[in-house]
């Protein structure tokens, strides 16, 4: 009887943790500013080493790996959203997409606090982290996170 009770409790705990993790997957979360200038300097240095430089427009940075199945879905979602936004952009380019392999950029992944794949960051034109997404975002959520950054770059007249 005790073994059955332990099994039921373990199953219930597993379900609660699973639902909590699943509820956060793919959600766009606003990022907090860097805690100190030194941390921000290290982040900018690591980004530059990986080839991510300020473009003056938003950057969608996503970490992936060859062995990551959901990373292909992130590629599709980001591609769809950026194609749609590029069509409305005055200069034909709304945002820049950068995909980095986590196995080739472990130092940057550690600096940015990447704990799982896929992880996507939305950076403004000066490389300030504005949003973070763990898992596969919906196209609507990704577009709604990018839109304010685009509007601040091209205010409507």
């Amino acid at each position: 009887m005790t073994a059955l009770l332990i099994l039921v409790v373990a199953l219930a705990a597993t379900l609660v943790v699973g639902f909590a993790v699943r509820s956060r997957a793919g959600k766009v979360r606003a990022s907090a500013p860097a805690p100190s200038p030194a941390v921000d300097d290290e982040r900018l240095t690591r980004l530059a080493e990986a080839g991510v430089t300020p473009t003056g427009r938003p950057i969608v940075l996503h970490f992936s790996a060859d062995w990551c199945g959901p990373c292909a879905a992130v590629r599709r979602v980001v591609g769809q959203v950026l194609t749609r936004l590029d069509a409305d952009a005055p200069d034909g380019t709304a945002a820049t997409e950068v995909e980095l392999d986590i196995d080739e950029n472990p130092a940057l992944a550690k600096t940015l606090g990447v704990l799982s794949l896929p992880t996507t960051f939305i950076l403004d034109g000066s490389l300030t982290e504005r949003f973070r997404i763990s898992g596969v975002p919906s196209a609507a959520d990704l577009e709604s996170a990018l839109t304010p950054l685009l509007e601040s770059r091209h205010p409507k007249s």
Side-chain angles (χ1 to χ4, degrees):
M1 186 66 180
T2 304
L4 185 59
L5 182 61
I6 291 172
L7 180 64
V8 169
V9 169
L11 181 61
T14 302
L15 287 172
V16 168
V17 169
F19 283 126
V21 168
R22 188 173 183 189
S23 70
R24 292 181 52 129
K27 301 294 183 211
V28 177
R29 297 185 316 261
S31 297
S36 72
V39 170
D40 195 46
D41 287 344
E42 179 186 359
R43 186 182 63 78
L44 291 173
T45 301
R46 297 275 187 217
L47 284 167
E49 289 170 356
V52 182
T53 56
T55 61
R57 61 180 163 260
I59 297 172
V60 179
L61 169 66
H62 52 106
F63 282 90
S64 64
D66 292 337
W67 45 264
C68 172
C71 294
V74 171
R75 261 183 235 109
R76 285 190 300 275
V77 170
V78 170
Q80 290 170 354
V81 169
L82 292 184
T83 299
R84 189 168 43 246
L85 293 174
D86 286 349
D88 296 336
D91 59 359
T93 305
T96 303
E97 176 184 10
V98 177
E99 181 176 359
L100 296 175
D101 188 304
I102 195 166
D103 296 326
E104 294 173 9
N105 298 282
L108 177 58
K110 181 179 179 184
T111 300
L112 294 176
V114 175
L115 299 176
S116 64
L117 289 181
T119 298
T120 305
F121 297 91
I122 298 175
L123 311 173
D124 63 17
S126 61
L127 300 181
T128 301
E129 182 182 322
R130 302 295 293 274
F131 299 98
R132 169 186 294 249
I133 307 158
S134 296
V136 181
S138 71
D141 287 345
L142 184 59
E143 190 169 340
S144 68
L146 282 167
T147 300
L149 299 176
L150 296 171
E151 288 173 352
S152 67
R153 190 172 158 243
H154 296 291
K156 299 202 190 276
S157 307

